[in-house]
Amino acid sequence: YEKALEAQNLKLLYMTIWPATGLWSDRALNSANDLNALVVRTYDNNSAEVLQAAGAHAEYLPFSEAIPRLKDHKLNAILSSGDGGASRKLWDDLRYFTAINYAISISIAFIRLDAFASLSTPVQAQVMAAATETEKSQFDLIDRRTADNYARIRANGVNISDPAPPSLIAALKRAAAMPISAWRAKAPVEAVAIADWASEQKN
């Protein structure tokens, strides 16, 4: 991220991570076969492709379009984090949350390099110290935030499956193989190496 931002005359200050995305649904997802019954909103084309390959009927939709469709029973599942789902009270229509951990979203704070360079050395140091402290506090907060979200959605009648059934995760991994392969074929060598490293840490 630092390298990519520098190419745009930007300096990375800090990153924030968000709770992992899962599947909100109107039924329990006990196995891969249960995906076939889902008409699911996803938040990008890649996630739609993965869920379609796994057997679901999936479509990339913004929340502004997804919620009316959910209310009209044209959707019965939404790919979103516990955090995002709780803020939109998805429990009104979807009583199950399965922690498939599809993705962990991030937010990035940055400043123009020329603006940063115009600051005095002591102020630059203060800015970076504040950025470091902010990033650490956000990473330290993630476990508690996830636990708080789970407590809130359980209190509103949602059944949480965490960890998700192994057969379900295996099916999603198989479904993701082709999109990942397509990405690897066009991604820079450096990006592929980072992805490989991250995968090794997870395993």
Side-chain angles (χ1 to χ4, degrees):
Y1 287 113
E2 287 178 338
K3 184 177 179 180
L5 288 169
E6 284 176 1
Q8 302 297 321
N9 190 40
L10 300 169
K11 179 177 180 61
L12 175 65
L13 294 176
Y14 64 87
M15 293 171 50
T16 299
I17 59 174
W18 299 95
T21 50
L23 274 172
W24 290 77
S25 58
D26 67 349
R27 66 200 66 203
L29 304 180
N30 297 315
S31 71
N33 291 334
D34 293 321
L35 292 171
N36 298 330
L38 296 187
V39 181
V40 56
R41 169 265 180 187
T42 69
Y43 50 71
D44 61 17
N45 291 323
N46 285 333
S47 51
E49 184 178 353
V50 170
L51 284 165
Q52 286 169 2
H57 303 276
E59 183 180 359
Y60 162 45
L61 292 170
F63 258 117
S64 60
E65 294 182 31
I67 298 302
R69 291 199 193 187
L70 182 63
K71 297 297 183 184
D72 290 341
H73 305 289
K74 294 177 180 177
L75 292 176
N76 64 359
I78 287 183
L79 181 67
S80 182
S81 65
D83 193 79
S87 68
R88 292 175 174 84
K89 298 184 178 180
L90 293 183
W91 53 64
D92 288 342
D93 301 279
L94 305 174
R95 291 291 184 165
Y96 295 85
F97 179 79
T98 306
I100 62 171
N101 295 331
Y102 175 79
I104 298 175
S105 301
I106 65 167
S107 296
I108 295 176
F110 52 83
I111 185 173
R112 289 198 334 266
L113 280 171
D114 55 326
F116 185 78
S118 70
L119 302 174
S120 67
T121 299
V123 173
Q124 287 183 1
Q126 290 173 347
V127 168
M128 294 313 299
T132 299
E133 181 180 348
T134 300
E135 182 171 280
K136 182 180 184 305
S137 68
Q138 292 298 307
F139 273 72
D140 290 345
L141 181 65
I142 191 65
D143 287 340
R144 190 172 81 237
R145 183 166 187 165
T146 298
D148 289 347
N149 283 333
Y150 277 9
R152 184 181 177 196
I153 63 180
R154 278 196 181 100
N156 282 277
V158 176
N159 299 282
I160 299 173
S161 179
D162 186 0
S167 62
L168 181 66
I169 297 301
L172 290 169
K173 285 184 176 181
R174 289 193 298 270
M178 188 173 294
I180 290 174
S181 178
W183 172 80
R184 292 173 69 93
K186 63 183 180 182
V189 173
E190 182 182 20
V192 173
I194 292 170
D196 288 343
W197 175 85
S199 180
E200 290 170 3
Q201 308 314 304
K202 182 179 63 175
N203 296 331

